[in-house]
Amino acid sequence: MRTPLIAGNWKMHKTIAEAVALTDALAVGLADLPANRQVVICPTFTALASVAARPRAGIAIGAQNVYPEVQGAYTGEIAPGMLKEIGCTYVIIGHSERRQLFGETDAMVARKAAAVLDAGMTPIVCVGETRAERESGQAENIVLGQVKAGLSALSNRLSEIVIAYEPVWAIGTGLTATSADAQAMHAAIRGELRSVGGNQADTVRIQYGGSVKPDNVDELMAQPDIDGALVGGAALVAESFIRIAKFVK
Ligand code: PEP
C-alpha cells in the first residue's frame, strides 16, 4: 500500500562534476531497481540543473531546502516554483541541521510544507529528538509535537506528505536506533497522524534516517511502519546507496 522511498541527502557535498558522476553511477546501478520502491537524490542547489539533465533511470530529484514564498525580496533564498522548474519533485524540510544551525521552527516547517505542496511537489518533513531528550524520556513527546505542529494545518493533505523520523543523535554519528525503537516511534507517529488526519495516516510514508547503511537497512525496512530511508553519509558513495536502495525485505 505504501511504496517505500529511499532518499539520498547529499548535504553540502559534491562539486557539480562530482554530483554528475555520482548520478551517472547511480543510474547504472539502479537501472534494474525493483518496481516496488522509489528513489530520490537531493544534491546541492548548484548541482540540481546538471543532475536533472542526466539520464537517471527513474531516480527522482529533490532539494534540501526552500523558502515558502512564490517570489520577492528574500535575498539568498529559493522559491518552490524554481525548484519545480528545475525538475525537483521532492523537497526536504525541517532537517535537524536546519532546525539546529539555522533556527528553523515548527511554524516555518509548516509554512514550507504547505508551499511545497502548493507548488506540486512532495515535502519530506523531518522530525526527531536529541540525545538529551531521549535520555530524559521525552523522545515521543518531542517528535509527536513536531508532527502535530508541522502538519496540523495540512490535515486534509497528509497523504501527499512524506515524514522522515531522524533521531538527531543518530545522524552522522554511526549510531542507529534499534529497529525495535525505530518501529515504536514510527508507530507512534502514525498514531499521531491518525488523530490529525484520520485514515490518511495509513497512506503516509514514514522514512527512518540516522546512519542508515548497507548492513542495517534490511532489518530497518523489515519493520511494518518503516517505509523508506533518508540517507546522508552513505548516499555519497554509489555502491552504498545502490545497496541501500536495493534493500531486501
Ligand atoms: C541525514 O542527513 O538525514 C542523515 C540521516 O545522515 P546520516 O545518514 O549520515 O546519518
Side-chain angles (χ1 to χ4, degrees):
M1 175 165 71
R2 298 185 295 267
T3 305
L5 177 67
I6 304 295
N9 174 11
W10 295 2
K11 308 194 185 187
M12 200 172 71
H13 294 291
K14 306 283 180 194
T15 62
I16 294 173
E18 290 166 347
V20 165
L22 178 54
T23 303
D24 290 352
L26 295 178
V28 171
L30 295 177
D32 59 349
L33 191 72
N36 61 353
R37 61 196 67 183
Q38 294 170 344
V39 174
V40 53
I41 51 177
C42 304
T44 59
F45 285 135
T46 51
L48 278 173
S50 304
V51 166
R54 306 303 295 176
R56 282 178 278 116
I59 301 169
I61 307 256
Q64 301 172 20
N65 187 28
V66 69
Y67 194 72
E69 293 290 343
V70 172
Q71 63 177 338
Y74 305 103
T75 302
E77 297 296 330
I78 308 276
M82 296 168 180
L83 298 176
K84 172 99 171 163
E85 180 185 29
I86 221 166
C88 290
T89 49
Y90 292 88
V91 184
I92 299 170
I93 288 171
H95 190 280
S96 63
E97 288 152 15
R98 294 218 57 86
R99 292 179 188 261
Q100 292 190 325
L101 302 174
F102 304 103
E104 197 152 305
T105 61
D106 285 332
M108 183 52 100
V109 169
R111 282 182 62 198
K112 289 185 176 188
V116 167
L117 286 171
D118 289 346
M121 298 178 291
T122 302
I124 298 177
V125 178
C126 302
V127 296
E129 83 284 0
T130 63
R131 178 191 283 268
E133 288 162 348
R134 176 155 285 261
E135 285 172 354
S136 63
Q138 289 301 304
E140 197 172 298
N141 272 352
I142 295 291
V143 169
L144 301 190
Q146 290 171 343
V147 170
K148 196 170 176 181
L151 301 181
S152 288
L154 299 168
S155 59
N156 56 347
R157 307 186 73 177
L158 286 191
S159 54
E160 301 167 63
I161 293 168
V162 173
I163 293 180
Y165 167 56
E166 299 204 302
V168 178
W169 48 270
I171 295 178
T173 59
L175 302 171
T176 320
T178 65
S179 52
D181 282 346
Q183 164 57 28
M185 187 64 87
H186 281 230
I189 291 171
R190 205 174 300 288
E192 183 66 32
L193 292 172
R194 200 172 302 286
S195 55
V196 173
N199 288 343
Q200 290 176 91
D202 293 323
T203 66
V204 179
R205 292 180 289 180
I206 308 175
Q207 300 177 307
Y208 173 79
S211 297
V212 175
K213 304 274 185 264
D215 61 5
N216 60 21
V217 67
D218 295 345
E219 189 185 339
L220 288 161
M221 290 303 300
Q223 305 304 313
D225 286 292
I226 298 185
D227 308 313
L230 180 52
V231 186
L236 298 172
V237 179
E239 191 186 14
S240 307
F241 191 65
I242 289 165
R243 173 60 184 87
I244 289 170
K246 291 185 174 174
F247 67 85
V248 180
K249 192 154 180 165

